[in-house]
Amino acid sequence: MKVYPWIWKWFVVWYVIGVILVGFDLLPSWLEWANPVFLWLAGAIGAFVIADGVRHARWIVPFIFFGSIAVETLGVKTGFPFSEYLYAEAFGPTVFGVPVTIGAAWLAVIGASFAVARFFNFQRRTLWLVPFLAVWLDMAIDPVAANVKGYWEWANGGLYYDIPTQNFLGWFGLSLIFSWVLDRYEVEAEPLLLTHGRYLFVMLHALFGVTAVNAGLYGIGVLSILTASVIYFERRVRHDRVEQKEMVQ
């Protein structure tokens, strides 16, 4: 855990730079290597959030990392479960056509979604909320990454910003598998890590939201504002409840 504070600080710095350079399309070609660094930092935070919130993290974190790469490889080769697509050379070394950093990206998405899911007081919140939250995040990621930045290319279109509907179903299915594992081994977690995980969720949505608005995809900007607002108001409600209990005691 001693290394974690430094990872978080580096991520925040990298994020601020990324919002300016990527969000406003100012990233020079010689700085493209910054994209994989960002994903590794975000993935490391997601991994810490997951590791602190479940038992048997030594195999769960690698399961999510390598499992996502395996499924992405299946997707690139067969079109299942996400529909047909190809990655561009923007995320570093690849294995069977899939960047290794995609495993880190999935850790970031699942870790952030896991942290937000634990924020709400629903029964079986982790199992059912994580897949919905992961898809919600992908609704900001995919149109920007594919249509604006060209990080990958879809062979087929769809109703939502020309992204195949099958992609979102595939995201939900894979996230549900990961969520089932997390729910099965869930334990009490460090509040700070969960808070950072929620920040990560909002920050990722905001990064792609800013990039989307700059490219004219205003609907995604609305989704990002809605995401931040819901989490903020839920936090305020929770804070008020705690204060009321303290006053009663």
Side-chain angles (χ1 to χ4, degrees):
M1 287 295 294
K2 291 183 179 180
V3 71
Y4 174 76
W6 292 102
I7 293 176
W8 174 254
K9 291 175 182 177
W10 270 110
F11 172 75
V12 172
V13 171
W14 218 260
Y15 176 84
V16 173
I17 296 174
V19 169
I20 297 172
L21 296 183
V22 177
F24 295 96
D25 199 23
L26 300 174
L27 186 71
S29 57
W30 59 268
L31 200 55
E32 290 291 339
W33 57 268
N35 288 322
V37 174
F38 175 83
L39 289 178
W40 283 114
L41 289 172
I45 294 169
F48 272 102
V49 171
I50 293 169
D52 190 63
V54 299
R55 301 189 306 273
H56 308 303
R58 289 184 178 180
W59 69 264
I60 291 177
V61 170
F63 172 71
I64 295 174
F65 181 87
F66 291 107
S68 61
I69 293 176
V71 174
E72 290 269 0
T73 301
L74 180 66
V76 168
K77 299 300 182 183
T78 69
F80 177 84
F82 307 113
S83 190
E84 298 180 20
Y85 62 103
L86 291 174
Y87 279 103
E89 297 179 0
F91 297 130
T94 63
V95 177
F96 301 115
V98 176
V100 178
T101 48
I102 290 301
W106 271 96
L107 280 175
V109 169
I110 297 301
S113 299
F114 178 61
V116 174
R118 295 190 62 163
F119 197 45
F120 294 92
N121 294 318
F122 299 138
Q123 188 176 13
R124 305 292 287 177
R125 59 191 181 278
T126 300
L127 178 60
W128 296 112
L129 275 180
V130 167
F132 283 107
L133 290 166
V135 172
W136 183 264
L137 191 51
D138 188 47
M139 290 175 68
I141 294 174
D142 227 297
V144 173
N147 300 340
V148 178
K149 295 300 181 181
Y151 293 152
W152 54 81
E153 181 179 349
W154 291 105
N156 304 305
L159 297 176
Y160 182 78
Y161 289 106
D162 209 29
I163 305 299
T165 303
Q166 182 183 336
N167 169 67
F168 299 113
L169 296 175
W171 263 68
F172 186 90
L174 181 56
S175 299
L176 183 61
I177 293 173
F178 294 150
S179 181
W180 178 82
V181 176
L182 297 176
D183 182 78
R184 183 179 176 87
Y185 297 106
E186 185 176 348
V187 296
E188 289 297 321
E190 171 65 39
L192 178 62
L193 283 170
L194 290 177
T195 299
H196 284 178
R198 293 161 195 147
Y199 287 160
L200 176 62
F201 190 92
V202 174
M203 291 165 76
L204 290 174
H205 224 295
L207 171 62
F208 286 95
V210 169
T211 309
V213 169
N214 186 56
L217 307 181
Y218 301 110
I220 297 175
V222 173
L223 290 182
S224 298
I225 294 173
L226 180 61
T227 298
S229 299
V230 169
I231 294 177
Y232 171 78
F233 283 116
E234 175 63 19
R235 183 179 181 183
R236 289 298 308 170
V237 169
R238 185 181 292 268
H239 181 266
D240 291 343
R241 288 174 181 171
V242 172
E243 285 189 340
Q244 290 176 2
K245 289 181 179 180
E246 291 177 350
M247 290 177 63
V248 171
Q249 293 174 354

